[in-house]
Amino acid sequence: MPTHFAIPVPEDYSLKRDACSYGYFLLRPNHWDPRSERLTRVLELEGGPATITIAQPREDGKRGPARISKASHFTRGADLACVSDRRLARREVTEASGLIARMLRLDEDAATIRAYHRVDPRFKGLGRGRLFRSPTLFEDVIKTVTSCNVQWPSTVVMNERLCEVVGDGGAFPSARKLSRARASTLRARCRVGYRDKRIVELAGMFASGEIDPHWCEDPATSDEDLRTFLIGLPGIGPYAAANVMQLLGRYHLLPLDTESVRHGKTILGMEGTDKAIMKMIDKHFAPFGAHAFRSYWFELWEFYENKRGPSWTWERETTGKTFTASQF
DNA sequence: GGTAGACCTGGACGC
DNA sequence: GCGTCCAGGTCTACC
């Protein structure tokens, strides 16, 4: 028997806009259905895995998904309507709500997004500001490692295989489970290549508490300490560290990669070596200060959307597998 | 501190 | 169908 529960959201929240705001929404175990505009994924809860479907009913009570209008700037956020595929205990509802809140960045209220739009008004029209992430820091870190040194389609495959081969009931594997996996299994069956040992090692560090998510998520932890710590982890270099930082809500650093160079050359008209262009991009976005990554990312996102339509219309199995700009 | 080359996979290309 | 080349970020060895 399913359990229905609601999650309150900030007044400007739009599920389709704010969930489909970063590539991870296209990675397993996440599944966005563009037709029903619902997000479904398996969550590992106290009583075992449960498939949760999240929707945002229209505020006006009419049938069909909520609409986003450029003219009105925001849809007024109706509470999220969630349903599980099995009965959940009260504690599990609380647990699931917390994980969903992390994933959908419900902690960033309307005032936070307004503060960003004061710095960069270009994205005020659609109300963009929140960036989708995973329910746990562990999943964010592993997803980041699977995105290094590969084209996007390989990242899609790695996450698909990790969930199928190691995860319980299609869930993203827990740190404990992944730390017990054989590196050779990850390489052969999950196609993670040379990342195999690094992933097992990272999982072991999370499982043992050597990596403490609370310390990483704590606003009292300085940016400098956090970056130094992250960059010391296996498989995490300057790009991955900056990406994990933005996933932790620290937007001042830019994870610069070949996509950034392409953006610098084709959109911003920069010229020079890749290294020189990366420096120019850093300088270009520096005026956005603590919000630099948001501005950088939504520029890139706009480029993808101009090619492939609004992100909430992308299918995981088609557009979602080819959306890296180099594929256009 | 800076740089070259290895790491692995999948796709593109030529034969 | 097979072999070769290339792209991608991190890591290590070396200067």
Side-chain angles (χ1 to χ4, degrees):
Chain A
M1 184 186 283
T3 296
H4 294 263
F5 57 102
I7 302 178
V9 294
E11 63 194 41
D12 65 319
Y13 198 82
S14 162
L15 179 66
K16 66 196 235 182
R17 177 196 63 205
D18 295 337
C20 305
S21 57
Y22 191 65
Y24 289 5
F25 88 95
L26 295 163
L27 297 179
R28 295 274 183 101
N30 300 311
H31 180 251
W32 172 258
D33 179 5
R35 275 164 288 281
S36 64
E37 296 184 350
R38 290 175 181 181
L39 179 70
T40 303
R41 71 164 278 155
V42 181
L43 287 176
E44 187 95 51
L45 302 175
E46 196 179 287
T51 302
I52 313 285
T53 299
I54 307 160
Q56 187 178 34
R58 290 174 64 156
E59 184 75 359
D60 54 14
K62 291 180 181 166
R63 290 168 72 88
R67 302 175 77 86
I68 295 181
S69 153
K70 274 197 176 185
S72 65
H73 290 196
F74 306 112
T75 48
R76 190 174 152 68
D79 287 357
L80 300 179
C82 306
V83 59
S84 61
D85 66 336
R86 67 168 174 82
R87 187 178 180 82
L88 301 181
R90 189 172 292 182
R91 280 169 59 161
E92 288 183 307
V93 170
T94 305
E95 189 186 2
S97 300
L99 294 170
I100 291 166
R102 186 189 195 277
M103 184 166 64
L104 300 177
R105 294 246 53 152
L106 301 183
D107 59 314
E108 291 190 327
D109 62 12
T112 305
I113 303 304
R114 278 198 300 272
Y116 164 55
H117 291 150
R118 279 196 291 277
V119 175
D120 188 349
R122 294 176 299 165
F123 302 103
K124 189 176 174 183
L126 259 186
R128 282 212 181 277
R130 297 182 186 84
L131 288 148
F132 183 85
R133 60 179 176 175
S134 303
T136 65
L137 175 63
F138 172 66
E139 185 176 328
D140 273 339
V141 169
I142 300 299
K143 277 186 159 55
T144 298
V145 170
T146 65
S147 73
C148 291
N149 203 26
V150 283
Q151 307 272 10
W152 180 252
S154 295
T155 303
V156 173
V157 169
M158 284 185 230
N159 281 276
E160 191 176 299
R161 305 295 293 159
L162 282 170
C163 294
E164 280 176 12
V165 175
V166 191
D168 276 333
F172 194 83
S174 66
R176 182 180 291 266
K177 192 123 196 251
L178 204 47
S179 70
R180 290 174 179 165
R182 285 187 189 172
S184 57
T185 304
L186 299 187
R187 178 178 294 224
R189 298 186 60 197
C190 304
R191 312 269 173 83
V192 301
Y194 66 89
R195 298 163 197 78
D196 55 356
K197 292 188 187 71
R198 295 171 192 177
I199 288 174
V200 172
E201 207 177 330
L202 279 168
M205 293 170 88
F206 271 95
S208 69
E210 198 177 332
I211 298 174
D212 177 8
H214 297 295
W215 180 81
C216 296
E217 309 244 11
D218 187 349
T221 303
S222 75
D223 290 339
E224 207 177 313
D225 286 351
L226 183 57
R227 185 176 183 276
T228 304
F229 174 72
L230 291 172
I231 223 159
L233 299 177
I236 307 290
Y239 163 82
N243 197 54
V244 173
M245 297 275 285
Q246 70 84 6
L247 290 163
L248 284 165
R250 301 182 189 235
Y251 301 118
H252 67 296
L253 289 177
L254 303 182
L256 297 176
D257 59 5
T258 50
E259 267 299 277
S260 322
V261 174
R262 178 206 55 74
H263 186 71
K265 283 179 180 170
T266 62
I267 305 297
L268 303 175
M270 295 170 174
E271 292 177 358
T273 63
D274 287 5
K275 203 170 177 180
I277 287 174
M278 285 187 182
K279 276 190 178 174
M280 285 184 241
I281 292 172
D282 256 334
K283 201 174 166 189
H284 179 83
F285 288 97
F288 298 109
H291 299 286
F293 178 77
R294 291 193 224 248
S295 292
Y296 160 79
W297 182 254
F298 292 133
E299 265 191 29
L300 279 181
W301 208 240
E302 202 169 52
F303 172 79
Y304 300 144
E305 290 190 313
N306 285 339
K307 298 279 185 185
R308 293 295 175 96
S311 54
W312 52 84
T313 65
W314 299 350
E315 303 260 10
R316 184 176 68 187
E317 302 306 321
T318 53
T319 316
K321 285 193 174 172
T322 61
F323 89 102
T324 303
S326 58
Q327 308 276 333
F328 289 124

